[in-house]
Amino acid sequence: MRLVIVGGSDAGISAGLRARELDPAVEVMLLLADRFPNYSICGLPFYISGETADWRDLAHQKLPDLESAGLELLMEHQVTSIQPEAKLVHATGPESRPVSLHYDKLIIATGAELVRPPIPGLDLEGVHLLHTMEDSFRVQAAGAALGGGRALVIGGGYIGLEMADSLTHRGLRVTVVEQLPAVMPTVDAELGNLVAEELGRHAVTVRTGVAVERIERIERNAGRLVATGSGGFEGEFDLVLVAVGVRPSADLAVAAGIEIGTRGAIRVNRCMETTVADVYGAGDCVETWHRLLQRPLYLPLGTTAHKQGRVAGERAVGGQAEFQGSLGTQVVKVFDLAVARTGLRQDEALHEGFQPVTTETRVWDHKAYYPGAHELTIRVTGDRRSGRLLGAQMIGHPAGQVAKRIDIFATALFHAMTVDGLSDLDLSYTPPFSAPWDPVQVAAQEWAREVPRAPAG
Amino acid sequence: MRLVIVGGSDAGISAGLRARELDPAVEVMLLLADRFPNYSICGLPFYISGETADWRDLAHQKLPDLESAGLELLMEHQVTSIQPEAKLVHATGPESRPVSLHYDKLIIATGAELVRPPIPGLDLEGVHLLHTMEDSFRVQAAGAALGGGRALVIGGGYIGLEMADSLTHRGLRVTVVEQLPAVMPTVDAELGNLVAEELGRHAVTVRTGVAVERIERIERNAGRLVATGSGGFEGEFDLVLVAVGVRPSADLAVAAGIEIGTRGAIRVNRCMETTVADVYGAGDCVETWHRLLQRPLYLPLGTTAHKQGRVAGERAVGGQAEFQGSLGTQVVKVFDLAVARTGLRQDEALHEGFQPVTTETRVWDHKAYYPGAHELTIRVTGDRRSGRLLGAQMIGHPAGQVAKRIDIFATALFHAMTVDGLSDLDLSYTPPFSAPWDPVQVAAQEWAREVPRAPAG
């Protein structure tokens, strides 16, 4: 039995490892376009900042480990087409050598590609889109050479803000431009504004409601770029980084006659099967089943890619795993803040036909009488009709265990708990780390006070 | 309607506040023996260490807040008897003034009292049992006066170890003596030994398998005590602290004809009703419903006291809350370690008729390529037959979010998840805080590899 996997990042590697774990007899051949299997794309900002000195450390698992787990890696193999009727994958290897592989099962894990906004000047030297390892080598080199220079980050989403942090750490003076009224649009503007304040505290200039319209080279200074945009935005920069989002890399699947679902992502069911027999999909190139909404969305996240890959790998060797769905749980570090969310925000919940109510609570991460307490801001969204928890957002110092506190909400959401029910959870407490009611429960109780339910008695 | 509450600590205050929140018309009279309502007993080690400078900060809520919430507090009132037939509570107030109160509903929240081990010499000056605020004032004063002196802590449970940390912080040289083979018997000896190593790194002498048999005053040095015990243990100390556990304060209930359940605790159902009409119980004086075992245990914890108090307060005013059960979730900080557990350990699970398997996993709290990663040790206990999660223990640097990672296990246990199912949870990830599979999931996957289940396919 031969399993061929197209793509060597999170989903592909995860699939291959799971298949081999369950069935050591399966032959797993994995084709990847570059020579960097299993690299943590999420780690690039920390390599560029200098916090991670050696890019080789970014690999989740190193090549010898992958090989000893039984994965046969064909690096620098660009897959050109898939022929499902003949069960063939065609690729171009090093030195343009054509390669054709027969498969019994195929997993497509081609990931996502960066959106290139229609801004004239994106091809100029000094303008970067960050996606591959090669991109990051270029930005790292440029950043290191430009200590004290000026950088523009186009896009105030989580990657843009991680890069603002990263380039500041490198010694650059950074400006972030975001089209929407607040940065970090994955959380409510109230929290986005707290993130903007944190950026300001670290000398990052934030311009919201601004669209960059043009990037040009300055004649009198060959190394410099000028960016102009709406609202009279104009600035000179040594480096421009574009981070305005990603879209699924699905061209290969489309050409093979595989059906496409929401937002251009490959349609898959919860067994990670595409619409073509013996072909699975996983990761940033496919739709993601949303556990709360019970329908597919496009929600590319590394955690999800790992889970979907694991399911696809298990299915490919005859296992019965099912993808249990995403809640869009995510966290990002921006300077001394952790910003996290899970589930739906107020506006998303409203759009989905719920009767959402969102409350905001400020609460110490642990008993304030013990040194080092940090204030957390927690937003809880619940459904007025059913009392059900719909989502939560949290922001605060990383030492306030924001990342794993959002996971308490995420685990509660996974089990469709009511907001009120959170108070029943038996959570750990000692004064240096929490309070007898954990901040998560304090926020839930605040919501319940705001939304009194008919007394059950 | 008058609700009388006996006890002014976590359970009693929690009950009173909840009753007033749901029914602002209820009259809540709360009798407490001392003049320190709503004090965080869990905070005493940090007051004694000096980390919390002002003992007044230890109150969960301050007196004016309690009063403005509508609680009428009768301080320094020692309740002497309860007459359920007449619905009367008799107490002795300040200046030995007798007080009798009629109640419509009564909540007994008398807490626990310290176990006094049968060691001759416990009444000597310089020997302390730590339970009340007055006790802690004495220990704090003694500790502050004895900088550089030697302290003996009898009992290596979580309070004993917190006090070892606390007194070391105060400048004392501390010895901990524990009868069992390892300290921190709430977790497996493997983790208890890691705690002992941490104590050693901070110059605390740890003697396990040793029972202290006698404490005597040294004639030649009036301020010093000599403690002798099994295994040839002998040492001179300036201060001795006894922390060998607590038992329910249930005498009042017994005298009133209220039924007693497990280990001397007041018998209650999940509505927190005692066996006598209109009398509820909550906190360290009552039995606690164990969610996993589905039967009552004696499991005194501050978090549980708050929850049970809240249920009792709600029930007393006609609400329908039910206590959803404890999992024994707890965490303690010992120097630079957080030690946490939830659910059952291997031996407990075996004793309960499960077919438990426990695996131990060492895993970085976040991607090791990002600075500041700490290794966590996680023990997962699951049932071989059903695959169900039974419990988890975790130890590591507090920055590794140990306290809130145990809560992911606790929330999973609350929902009776399988160990395998943990990998389906959508948990947050960014390299500075986690990995695409959170350490909780890495440990669960390790367990699942150890305990292969019949393939579902």
Side-chain angles (χ1 to χ4, degrees):
Chain A
M1 217 289 275
R2 180 191 281 173
L3 168 61
V4 173
I5 299 172
V6 183
S9 191
D10 294 356
I13 298 286
S14 201
L17 292 174
R18 184 62 173 164
R20 289 284 306 179
E21 181 182 353
L22 295 178
D23 181 0
V26 66
E27 181 189 11
V28 176
M29 300 189 75
L30 205 145
L31 299 105
L32 59 156
D34 60 20
R35 52 198 170 79
F36 305 106
N38 205 208
Y39 269 74
S40 173
I41 297 289
C42 308
L44 296 183
F46 311 107
Y47 165 58
I48 291 167
S49 73
E51 290 158 289
T52 300
D54 187 348
W55 59 268
R56 290 170 196 85
D57 291 334
L58 294 182
H60 287 304
Q61 297 198 53
K62 308 250 188 249
L63 189 53
D65 294 332
L66 296 174
E67 287 176 340
S68 75
L71 304 193
E72 194 176 335
L73 293 153
L74 305 180
M75 293 192 273
E76 297 181 81
H77 278 67
Q78 184 71 52
V79 174
T80 49
S81 67
I82 298 164
Q83 265 185 287
E85 329 74 50
K87 292 197 156 186
L88 284 175
V89 169
H90 303 288
T92 306
E95 295 158 21
S96 305
R97 190 164 33 84
V99 174
S100 293
L101 289 175
H102 177 266
Y103 66 80
D104 296 296
K105 305 280 181 178
L106 176 69
I107 296 176
I108 301 178
T110 42
E113 55 205 56
L114 293 173
V115 170
R116 284 178 66 91
I119 301 172
L122 286 198
D123 292 323
L124 291 171
E125 205 187 317
V127 180
H128 301 267
L129 283 84
L130 186 65
H131 193 50
T132 66
M133 290 301 293
E134 301 286 1
D135 294 337
S136 74
F137 295 150
R138 280 189 288 270
V139 177
Q140 196 272 349
L146 287 170
R150 299 171 64 90
L152 172 67
V153 175
I154 301 176
Y158 76 94
I159 293 170
L161 299 191
E162 283 184 327
M163 285 309 302
D165 179 333
S166 170
L167 294 171
T168 301
H169 203 274
R170 259 288 167 215
L172 279 76
R173 298 248 357 203
V174 180
T175 297
V176 175
V177 169
E178 166 61 45
Q179 266 189 295
L180 294 171
V183 295
M184 190 73 78
T186 42
V187 294
D188 288 339
E190 288 85 345
L191 300 189
N193 293 337
L194 295 178
V195 178
E197 286 172 20
E198 177 73 0
L199 290 162
R201 277 191 290 275
H202 293 266
V204 174
T205 303
V206 177
R207 295 290 305 272
T208 54
V210 167
V212 173
E213 288 161 349
R214 175 174 298 276
I215 303 165
E216 292 166 297
R217 183 165 302 287
I218 299 175
E219 288 309 326
R220 59 180 159 76
N221 184 342
R224 282 218 143 178
L225 300 159
V226 63
T228 48
S230 61
F233 175 77
E234 184 171 332
E236 286 188 22
F237 303 95
D238 301 294
L239 184 154
V240 175
L241 197 87
V242 182
V244 298
V246 299
R247 66 166 157 250
S249 290
D251 291 354
L252 214 51
V254 170
I258 293 167
E259 207 174 299
I260 295 299
T262 185
R263 287 188 52 200
I266 299 169
R267 172 154 293 166
V268 288
N269 59 21
R270 291 175 58 194
C271 308
M272 307 315 297
E273 294 166 344
T274 69
T275 52
V276 166
D278 297 322
V279 181
Y280 303 81
D284 291 358
C285 60
V286 306
E287 297 181 333
T288 290
W289 182 255
H290 196 281
R291 186 170 177 90
L292 198 149
L293 298 178
Q294 294 282 298
R295 64 179 173 78
L297 300 180
Y298 184 58
L299 253 177
L301 285 165
T303 46
T304 303
H306 275 81
K307 287 187 183 68
Q308 292 179 332
R310 193 170 191 253
V311 171
E314 181 162 343
R315 282 276 163 178
V317 296
Q320 296 299 308
E322 270 193 22
F323 178 61
Q324 295 299 316
S326 167
L327 296 159
T329 311
Q330 52 196 283
V331 64
V332 58
K333 179 184 167 298
V334 181
F335 294 108
D336 297 328
L337 278 186
V339 189
R341 71 166 283 187
T342 185
L344 307 178
R345 291 190 322 248
Q346 174 75 17
D347 57 338
E348 294 167 326
L350 205 57
H351 182 74
E352 296 287 343
F354 292 101
Q355 288 180 12
V357 178
T358 297
T359 53
E360 182 172 309
T361 305
R362 291 185 152 231
V363 54
W364 295 108
D365 73 306
H366 65 253
K367 295 303 296 184
Y369 61 70
Y370 185 85
H374 296 283
E375 204 171 42
L376 309 177
T377 302
I378 306 179
R379 290 175 74 85
V380 172
T381 301
D383 185 40
R384 180 186 291 280
R385 201 161 28 195
S386 63
R388 195 174 156 190
L389 176 68
L390 297 174
Q393 303 163 60
M394 198 182 308
I395 193 167
H397 193 282
Q401 307 197 42
V402 169
K404 296 302 124 183
R405 281 196 160 105
I406 207 72
D407 287 350
I408 301 172
F409 280 115
T411 306
L413 267 178
F414 187 92
H415 291 287
M417 290 187 86
T418 61
V419 177
D420 218 22
L422 288 168
S423 288
D424 294 323
L425 292 175
D426 184 19
L427 306 178
S428 72
Y429 160 56
T430 183
F433 305 144
S434 185
W437 296 113
D438 190 80
V440 162
Q441 296 173 314
V442 171
Q445 289 170 12
E446 180 78 20
W447 187 93
R449 265 191 294 275
E450 194 88 0
V451 188
R453 321 221 33 228
Chain B
M1 216 288 273
R2 181 190 280 172
L3 168 60
V4 172
I5 300 171
V6 184
S9 190
D10 294 357
I13 297 286
S14 201
L17 292 174
R18 184 60 173 166
R20 289 284 305 179
E21 181 182 354
L22 295 177
D23 181 0
V26 67
E27 182 190 10
V28 176
M29 300 188 75
L30 204 145
L31 299 105
L32 59 155
D34 59 19
R35 51 197 171 79
F36 305 105
N38 205 208
Y39 269 74
S40 173
I41 297 288
C42 307
L44 295 183
F46 311 108
Y47 164 59
I48 291 167
S49 72
E51 290 159 289
T52 300
D54 188 346
W55 59 268
R56 291 170 196 85
D57 291 335
L58 294 182
H60 287 306
Q61 298 198 53
K62 306 249 189 250
L63 190 54
D65 294 333
L66 297 174
E67 288 177 338
S68 75
L71 304 193
E72 195 176 333
L73 294 155
L74 304 182
M75 292 192 272
E76 297 181 83
H77 278 68
Q78 184 71 52
V79 175
T80 50
S81 67
I82 297 164
Q83 266 186 286
E85 328 74 49
K87 291 198 158 185
L88 284 176
V89 170
H90 304 289
T92 305
E95 295 158 22
S96 304
R97 189 163 36 82
V99 175
S100 291
L101 289 175
H102 178 266
Y103 65 80
D104 296 296
K105 305 281 182 178
L106 177 69
I107 297 175
I108 301 178
T110 42
E113 55 206 56
L114 294 173
V115 170
R116 284 176 68 89
I119 302 172
L122 285 199
D123 292 322
L124 291 172
E125 205 186 316
V127 180
H128 300 268
L129 281 85
L130 186 66
H131 194 49
T132 66
M133 289 302 292
E134 301 287 1
D135 294 337
S136 74
F137 294 152
R138 279 189 289 272
V139 178
Q140 195 271 349
L146 288 168
R150 300 170 65 88
L152 171 67
V153 175
I154 302 177
Y158 74 96
I159 293 170
L161 298 192
E162 283 184 327
M163 284 309 303
D165 179 333
S166 171
L167 294 171
T168 301
H169 203 274
R170 259 288 166 214
L172 280 75
R173 297 246 0 200
V174 180
T175 297
V176 175
V177 169
E178 165 62 44
Q179 266 189 296
L180 295 171
V183 294
M184 190 73 77
T186 42
V187 295
D188 287 341
E190 288 85 346
L191 300 189
N193 293 338
L194 295 178
V195 178
E197 286 173 20
E198 177 72 1
L199 290 162
R201 276 190 290 274
H202 293 266
V204 173
T205 303
V206 177
R207 295 290 306 272
T208 55
V210 167
V212 173
E213 287 161 349
R214 174 174 298 276
I215 303 166
E216 291 165 297
R217 183 165 301 288
I218 300 176
E219 289 310 325
R220 60 178 159 76
N221 184 343
R224 281 219 147 176
L225 299 160
V226 63
T228 49
S230 62
F233 175 76
E234 184 172 333
E236 288 187 19
F237 303 96
D238 301 293
L239 185 154
V240 175
L241 196 87
V242 182
V244 299
V246 298
R247 66 165 156 251
S249 290
D251 292 353
L252 216 50
V254 170
I258 292 167
E259 208 174 298
I260 295 298
T262 185
R263 288 188 51 200
I266 299 170
R267 172 155 293 163
V268 287
N269 59 21
R270 291 176 58 195
C271 309
M272 306 317 296
E273 294 166 344
T274 68
T275 51
V276 166
D278 296 322
V279 181
Y280 302 82
D284 291 359
C285 60
V286 306
E287 297 181 333
T288 289
W289 183 255
H290 195 280
R291 187 171 177 90
L292 198 149
L293 299 177
Q294 294 282 298
R295 63 178 173 81
L297 301 180
Y298 184 57
L299 252 178
L301 285 166
T303 44
T304 302
H306 275 82
K307 286 187 184 69
Q308 292 179 332
R310 192 170 191 254
V311 171
E314 181 162 342
R315 282 276 163 179
V317 297
Q320 295 298 309
E322 270 193 21
F323 178 61
Q324 295 299 315
S326 166
L327 295 159
T329 311
Q330 53 196 282
V331 64
V332 58
K333 178 185 167 298
V334 181
F335 294 108
D336 297 328
L337 278 186
V339 190
R341 71 165 282 188
T342 186
L344 307 177
R345 293 190 321 249
Q346 174 76 14
D347 58 338
E348 294 167 326
L350 205 56
H351 181 75
E352 296 287 342
F354 291 100
Q355 288 183 9
V357 178
T358 298
T359 52
E360 181 172 309
T361 305
R362 293 186 151 229
V363 53
W364 295 108
D365 73 306
H366 66 252
K367 295 304 295 185
Y369 60 71
Y370 185 83
H374 297 283
E375 204 170 42
L376 308 178
T377 303
I378 306 179
R379 290 175 74 85
V380 172
T381 301
D383 184 41
R384 181 186 292 279
R385 202 163 25 195
S386 64
R388 197 175 153 188
L389 176 67
L390 297 175
Q393 302 163 60
M394 199 183 308
I395 194 167
H397 192 282
Q401 308 196 41
V402 169
K404 297 302 124 183
R405 280 197 161 105
I406 207 73
D407 287 350
I408 301 172
F409 281 116
T411 306
L413 268 178
F414 187 92
H415 292 286
M417 289 186 86
T418 61
V419 177
D420 218 22
L422 287 168
S423 288
D424 293 324
L425 292 176
D426 184 19
L427 306 178
S428 71
Y429 160 55
T430 183
F433 306 142
S434 185
W437 297 111
D438 190 80
V440 161
Q441 297 173 314
V442 172
Q445 289 169 13
E446 180 77 20
W447 187 93
R449 263 190 295 275
E450 195 88 358
V451 188
R453 320 221 35 228

